[in-house]
Amino acid sequence: MAVVEARGKQGDVPKVVKQWGEPESRNCVLAASIDSRKRDPMLAVARKCGKIELLNPVTGDTRVVISDASDTKPEDDPIIGLHLFRRERTEERSRSCTLLSCSTKGNAVIRSFEVMDSPEDSVPTSSTSKWNVCAAGSVLCCKVDGSENYAVVGGKGVEINIWDLDKCNKFWTAKAPPKNNLGIFTPTWFTSATFLRKDDHRKIVAGTNSHQVRLYDISAQRKPVLSFDFRETPIKAVTEDLDGYTVYVGNGSGDLASFDMRTGKLLGCFLGKCSGSIRYISRHPDFPMIASCGLDSYVRLWDVKSRQLLSAVFLKQHLNSVLFDSAFADEEPVQNARDVLENEAQRQRVDENQFEDEEETLPVKRKKKKKKTRKEGGDQKTSGKENDGIEKLNRKKKIKRAKTLADDDAWLPEMACSPCS
């Protein structure tokens, strides 16, 4: 697991600033969720070995370690869905944390913990809910809406359905589409799903293994209201945009594109094809950019307007998830703001002193004796040359000050994204 930092609003020149743990197959991250806040942020990761860890995304310190004491091997029932609920901090030295996890066999668990300063002091609370979201098949996608009251679940042999997290019951299930014109029925196989709007759980966008993108509206009907194909490989990642109608779709061959779900129109493909399957797409909550990662071991930052590649960083391992820490900010410019102002004032004083010294050391031209044939305007020409020299020095000083101020204002706020593998 690594932390990548990119300076500027357009994510230029990313670099790996931190790396937590060694790359091991047993401890690879299958799912991740972040509660980004300015005070006491939290990062939850589900590992292949069956453990769920709550980390500090700034320092990487482990706050809570969760391991299920069950007879099922973690390899037989891995966690594919993870969501860290956003909760306000109630006490100064403790914090209530709620976590939702879902495995491929449909075992969903909501746990609550009191997170203390040390991992040993963190204890689970009595509020734990367990249920099963599917009777057969394998769950491959699980996503929680913006209000954190509903979750959408789908997979291989599992139709898209929505669950009420407060009551732990299912209140809507999609209906399989009919056979096509050739009489061929496509079996249910959903690979990714998301809510079209963060504040509306009624519209769902899902990707299938048969390279289809489907839009469901639970207030209209159980069948998809819109369906279209995207290339010839399975859809692996679907993420919604902030506008409420645009989605970003990535497939198994590394193609990335954006669609308008009001009409199903292809808005455009992102330039620069990935060399491996795309496994996760994350939309930045503030800046117009998305991050993608996959099996080619690259984290890429894209401009959502021009759909061009901004930057990429190679992390030497397969990547399953990438998250933005929206509350992250570089503290160095804030800490040195006073120093910047003092340096600017000092530069101005130095420039003024240099100007005064240069003015004192200006060569004094000796006046020639007036000839009888020269008019009185000759003295005015000599004084005019001296004034031109002083004006040139003033112009140089103004240009130098403008360049100095431009260099001081060149820094921009920073962003950080945490790719998990």
Side-chain angles (χ1 to χ4, degrees):
M1 187 164 56
V3 178
V4 178
E5 179 183 297
R7 279 187 171 271
K9 293 183 178 180
Q10 296 186 356
D12 298 332
V13 193
K15 59 181 180 180
V16 180
V17 294
K18 292 180 183 179
Q19 188 171 356
W20 303 323
E22 296 296 331
E24 297 181 2
S25 176
R26 178 175 173 80
N27 293 326
C28 71
V29 176
L30 301 178
S33 179
I34 189 171
D35 181 10
S36 59
R37 53 169 61 193
K38 294 183 179 180
R39 184 179 180 182
D40 195 11
M42 195 71 67
L43 172 67
V45 294
R47 300 188 181 274
K48 187 178 180 180
C49 60
K51 292 183 179 180
I52 299 176
E53 298 179 359
L54 297 180
L55 309 173
N56 187 335
V58 179
T59 61
D61 297 336
T62 303
R63 306 296 297 275
V64 179
V65 178
I66 307 170
S67 57
D68 292 333
S70 59
D71 298 333
T72 305
K73 294 182 180 180
E75 293 81 6
D76 298 335
D77 191 18
I79 295 175
I80 54 91
L82 193 67
H83 181 77
L84 185 62
F85 290 86
R86 300 183 299 271
R87 293 292 183 266
E88 295 296 332
R89 188 169 180 172
T90 57
E91 298 181 5
E92 197 64 30
R93 298 184 67 255
S94 66
R95 175 188 171 189
S96 177
C97 181
T98 306
L99 186 69
L100 168 67
S101 62
C102 183
S103 64
T104 55
K105 292 185 177 180
N107 297 319
V109 183
I110 295 181
R111 303 178 179 91
S112 295
F113 285 84
E114 287 293 334
V115 182
M116 307 298 290
D117 294 337
S118 61
E120 293 79 10
D121 298 335
S122 301
V123 293
T125 61
S126 59
S127 58
T128 301
S129 302
K130 297 182 179 181
W131 74 98
N132 197 282
V133 296
C134 66
S138 300
V139 177
L140 299 179
C141 55
C142 178
K143 187 69 176 291
V144 179
D145 71 329
S147 63
E148 297 184 332
N149 295 323
Y150 306 95
V152 57
V153 179
K156 184 177 181 180
V158 181
E159 284 290 343
I160 286 292
N161 53 82
I162 301 180
W163 289 76
D164 189 338
L165 298 180
D166 293 334
K167 301 178 182 178
C168 297
N169 63 346
K170 179 171 60 176
F171 67 91
W172 185 85
T173 304
K175 186 177 181 180
K179 298 180 181 180
N180 58 13
N181 297 330
L182 300 177
I184 300 175
F185 174 75
T186 303
T188 301
W189 194 338
F190 291 95
T191 55
S192 58
T194 186
F195 292 93
L196 186 58
R197 297 178 61 93
K198 292 184 178 298
D199 55 350
D200 188 4
H201 68 278
R202 295 173 298 179
K203 294 183 179 180
I204 307 161
V205 180
T208 68
N209 191 69
S210 57
H211 55 84
Q212 278 189 346
V213 180
R214 299 177 183 176
L215 174 64
Y216 292 91
D217 189 352
I218 67 175
S219 60
Q221 59 186 20
R222 294 175 57 192
K223 295 181 181 180
V225 296
L226 181 65
S227 179
F228 54 87
D229 294 340
F230 176 56
R231 301 297 170 88
E232 299 297 332
T233 54
I235 306 297
K236 292 297 183 179
V238 176
T239 300
E240 76 281 0
D241 193 77
L242 302 178
D243 55 14
Y245 56 86
T246 303
V247 294
Y248 305 101
V249 180
N251 63 7
S253 59
D255 299 304
L256 182 62
S258 58
F259 290 88
D260 188 344
M261 297 308 297
R262 296 174 297 184
T263 59
K265 180 182 178 181
L266 174 65
L267 298 179
C269 294
F270 286 77
L271 304 178
K273 182 179 178 180
C274 304
S275 57
S277 174
I278 297 176
R279 292 306 174 92
Y280 204 91
I281 304 172
S282 180
R283 174 66 163 87
H284 198 283
D286 299 322
F287 301 135
M289 69 169 56
I290 59 173
S292 66
C293 69
L295 300 185
D296 61 351
S297 304
Y298 274 94
V299 171
R300 291 178 170 86
L301 299 177
W302 310 83
D303 189 345
V304 299
K305 296 181 179 179
S306 61
R307 290 184 289 276
Q308 293 184 353
L309 180 65
L310 298 177
S311 53
V313 59
F314 182 65
L315 296 179
K316 304 179 182 179
Q317 52 191 320
H318 295 329
L319 304 175
N320 294 322
S321 181
V322 58
L323 301 172
F324 280 108
D325 188 359
S326 59
F328 174 80
D330 184 19
E331 297 180 356
E332 184 177 356
V334 179
Q335 293 176 352
N336 297 336
R338 184 176 298 177
D339 298 337
V340 171
L341 295 177
E342 292 179 356
N343 293 336
E344 182 182 353
Q346 186 176 1
R347 290 193 192 99
Q348 291 180 358
R349 289 195 296 269
V350 171
D351 293 340
E352 291 176 358
N353 294 333
Q354 289 179 356
F355 173 71
E356 291 177 358
D357 295 338
E358 291 175 356
E359 188 176 7
E360 291 178 358
T361 56
L362 282 176
V364 180
K365 295 184 179 180
R366 294 182 180 180
K367 296 181 180 181
K368 295 181 180 181
K369 293 183 180 180
K370 294 181 180 181
K371 295 182 180 181
K372 293 182 180 180
T373 58
R374 181 172 293 181
K375 297 182 181 180
E376 294 179 359
D379 295 336
Q380 296 178 357
K381 293 181 179 180
T382 303
S383 59
K385 290 181 179 181
E386 294 178 357
N387 293 333
D388 292 341
I390 295 173
E391 289 178 0
K392 288 180 180 179
L393 288 175
N394 290 334
R395 283 195 295 269
K396 289 181 179 180
K397 183 182 71 171
K398 291 180 180 179
I399 294 172
K400 191 173 182 180
R401 286 181 182 175
K403 289 182 178 180
T404 303
L405 293 175
D407 293 337
D408 290 340
D409 294 338
W411 62 271
L412 290 172
E414 295 184 346
M415 297 167 292
C417 58
S418 301
C420 306
S421 61

